[in-house]
Every structure is written in C-alpha cells, then in structure tokens.
Amino acid sequence: MTKTNDVTAMFKDAMAAFPIDASAAEGAFKSTADLNEKISTVALTAVEESTALSTKWTQDTLKGMSDVSKAKAQPTDYAQAMTDFVSNYSKAATEHMTAFAEIAKKAQADTLELMTAAGKTFSEDATSAVKSATAAK
C-alpha cells in the first residue's frame, strides 16, 4: 500500500529552512498601522474642511434665495434681484471651487509626503533586514 506523506512535517521542515524574524513582521505591521492612521487623518481632515465649505456655500445660497423670493414693489425689482443673485452666486462658485481645489491640493501634498517618508523607511528597513540576514548566514 501507498504511504501518505505527513504534510505537517513537510511544512515544518520547509518553514525551518527559511527562518522568519517575527519581530520584523511585527514591525512591518506596526509601521503599516501607523501609516494608515496618518493617511486616515489626512483624508478625514480634507472631508471635514470640504463639508464645512459645502455647508457655508449652501447657507449663502439659501440666504440669496430668500432675498430673491421676497415680494417686490416693481416688476423690474424681481429682475434686479435675480440678476444680483446670479452675479453673487457666480462669484461665490468661483471662490468655493478654488477653496475646494486648495483642500484637495493640500490633501494630495500631505499624502505624497507620507508615502515618500514611508517608502524611505521601507527601503531602510529592507536594507537592514537584508544585511542582518546576510550576516546571520
């Protein structure tokens, strides 16, 4: 009869042939968790700023709409109110879109800075791990 190979023993032998430094894996996990926390902070800050800006824009628009909806003495006053609203809204739209772009630009720059620092740290850690693995053999 055919004997079934002990897969557990084969796996243990294979793992023993390639020793793994558990502290390195723990360090990598901690580094990844720290990076995720920093990136989440950047994203949440951008969301908070965008939400505040959006809320202000909505409030300004509603205030302008309430001015337009008020009763006027002359028919031309309605046209003037609408013209003023559209003019103010167009100006506000430009300002708010510029502010949204600045929020996105800051988030992008902060993320790039974090990723660059993480890449540098990863490179240094990898170099150190290779040197220690080479020295151990």
Side-chain angles (χ1 to χ4, degrees):
M1 291 177 84
T2 306
K3 181 180 177 189
T4 305
N5 292 332
D6 184 4
V7 177
T8 305
M10 288 177 17
F11 187 69
K12 284 181 182 178
D13 291 343
M15 292 302 291
F18 300 102
I20 296 173
D21 183 8
S23 64
E26 185 178 319
F29 177 79
K30 185 175 176 0
S31 296
T32 301
D34 289 344
L35 178 62
N36 287 340
E37 179 182 0
K38 290 173 184 175
I39 289 175
S40 293
T41 300
V42 169
L44 291 172
T45 300
V47 168
E48 288 172 5
E49 291 173 0
S50 295
T51 301
L53 181 60
S54 181
T55 300
K56 183 180 180 335
W57 191 0
T58 300
Q59 290 171 339
D60 291 348
T61 301
L62 293 173
K63 183 181 178 297
M65 289 299 295
S66 70
D67 292 343
V68 169
S69 66
K70 291 180 182 173
K72 313 286 187 245
Q74 299 293 321
T76 56
D77 292 340
Y78 288 101
Q80 184 61 47
M82 185 54 89
T83 300
D84 291 344
F85 171 76
V86 170
S87 174
N88 290 335
Y89 187 81
S90 296
K91 181 181 175 189
T94 301
E95 291 170 0
H96 287 100
M97 293 308 291
T98 300
F100 278 123
E102 288 301 317
I103 291 168
K105 187 169 129 181
K106 182 179 182 321
Q108 181 182 23
D110 290 349
T111 302
L112 180 62
E113 182 180 323
L114 287 172
M115 296 306 289
T116 301
K120 182 179 178 186
T121 301
F122 176 75
S123 176
E124 290 169 355
D125 290 349
T127 301
S128 175
V130 168
K131 284 181 182 177
S132 66
T134 305
K137 287 188 176 190

